[in-house]
Amino acid sequence: MSSSTMPYVIGNWKMNLDVESAMSLAEASAEIANETADDVGVGIAIPSLWIPLISSEFFETSLLVGAQDCSPHAAGAYTGDVSAPMLSPWCAFTLVGHSERRQHHGEDDDLVRAKLDAVIEHDMAALLCVGETEAQREAGNALDVVGEQVLRAAGHLDSGGLRNLLVAYEPVWAIGTGQTATPADAQAMAAHIRGLIAGLDAGSAPEVPILYGGSVKAANAPDFFSEGDIDGALVGGASLDADDFLEIVRAARQTGAGLLADDAR
Ligand code: 13P
């Protein structure tokens, strides 16, 4: 199985930046997005507070603006939460199931699935984040753990739903640590995920972007992007530096993640 999707490089800003630095980083990210628009989808998942501001300011650029989380509920007595219908006018996509949400907010696969459904129902793409802990990898369970996360959250989607799905494989032990999966292990996991998606709908599987995340930097990005089933990256720390982010996007264009890699095969 090979992928035939455009590569995506998505920055996850997490809970960082004040409004001035957020605006200037968004501007730099929009320039990067415009420069590479024909070859790479460039997005940023940003704190919800800045979403309307940044989305309206950069509406006419190629930058994809997204949220980091969303409530599974459309409206109601859910203090502090933000719903999919609130995000939808501003966002192209929303992350769901990031390991920091699973870890710090006790999110389980059922909740992740409900969030994913809310996102897709409200006309956004869902970027489903999955990944094993260090102990799970050492025990030899990484493929099973991640496979279960994928199927529990997205195993009910039909071809229409799968058109709005992206998956990010982010090993928990590689996030913010400077450690990465080996490109071969990341490729094996991406191929496993694509195989599971093929089990849901064979025709959709090559079209679902599968990204790698976990300490992606300009120096290591080309190694991941040259793997056949890795269609880009979800970038944390390095997305906060415009120069680093630009280099990673250029690597996706040059090494030909996704569609370009497929053409080269
Ligand atoms: P780092 O790139 O900082 O390791 O973060 C990865 C991540 O969690 C992206 O969602």
Side-chain angles (χ1 to χ4, degrees), residues 12 14 95 98 100 129 170 174-177 213-217 234-238:
N12 176 8
K14 307 192 179 183
L95 307 187
H98 192 282
E100 287 151 15
C129 304
E170 300 201 298
I175 294 177
T177 60
S215 298
V216 173
K217 312 282 178 224
L234 181 57
V235 185

Side-chain angles (χ1 to χ4, degrees), residues 63-238:
L63 182 66
L64 304 168
V65 174
Q68 298 173 5
D69 181 43
C70 104
S71 170
H73 306 287
Y78 301 102
T79 301
D81 286 355
V82 177
S83 74
M86 292 171 181
L87 295 170
S88 181
W90 309 105
C91 289
F93 70 95
T94 300
L95 307 187
V96 293
H98 192 282
S99 71
E100 287 151 15
R101 302 287 319 168
R102 296 179 194 254
Q103 192 182 339
H104 302 308
H105 299 268
E107 295 193 3
D108 62 14
D109 290 320
D110 290 340
L111 180 56
V112 174
R113 171 187 170 133
K115 291 182 174 202
L116 181 144
D117 282 342
V119 169
I120 292 179
E121 197 177 308
H122 289 90
D123 301 321
M124 294 177 283
L127 175 41
L128 170 65
C129 304
V130 292
E132 82 286 357
T133 63
E134 190 161 27
Q136 288 165 334
R137 175 155 287 272
E138 278 170 4
N141 295 332
L143 290 175
D144 286 348
V145 166
V146 170
E148 193 166 314
Q149 289 173 342
V150 170
L151 289 180
R152 285 196 173 204
H156 60 297
L157 295 179
D158 60 12
S159 60
L162 291 171
R163 257 199 298 280
N164 295 306
L165 178 71
L166 303 88
V167 180
Y169 167 54
E170 300 201 298
V172 177
W173 47 271
I175 294 177
T177 60
Q179 285 180 269
T180 64
T182 65
D185 282 347
Q187 161 60 24
M189 186 64 80
H192 178 58
I193 293 169
R194 201 176 301 285
L196 294 173
I197 295 169
L200 306 177
D201 180 58
S204 302
E207 309 285 335
V208 174
I210 300 178
L211 316 183
Y212 170 76
S215 298
V216 173
K217 312 282 178 224
N220 59 32
D223 297 337
F224 292 103
F225 296 160
S226 48
E227 297 289 349
D229 283 291
I230 298 177
D231 305 313
L234 181 57
V235 185

Side-chain angles (χ1 to χ4, degrees), residues 35-67:
E35 179 191 314
T36 57
D38 291 342
D39 304 318
V40 185
V42 176
I44 49 174
I46 63 178
S48 51
L49 197 58
W50 314 139
I51 286 172
L53 188 64
I54 288 179
S55 180
S56 51
E57 182 74 18
F58 300 103
F59 181 71
E60 290 183 353
T61 74
S62 298
L63 182 66
L64 304 168
V65 174

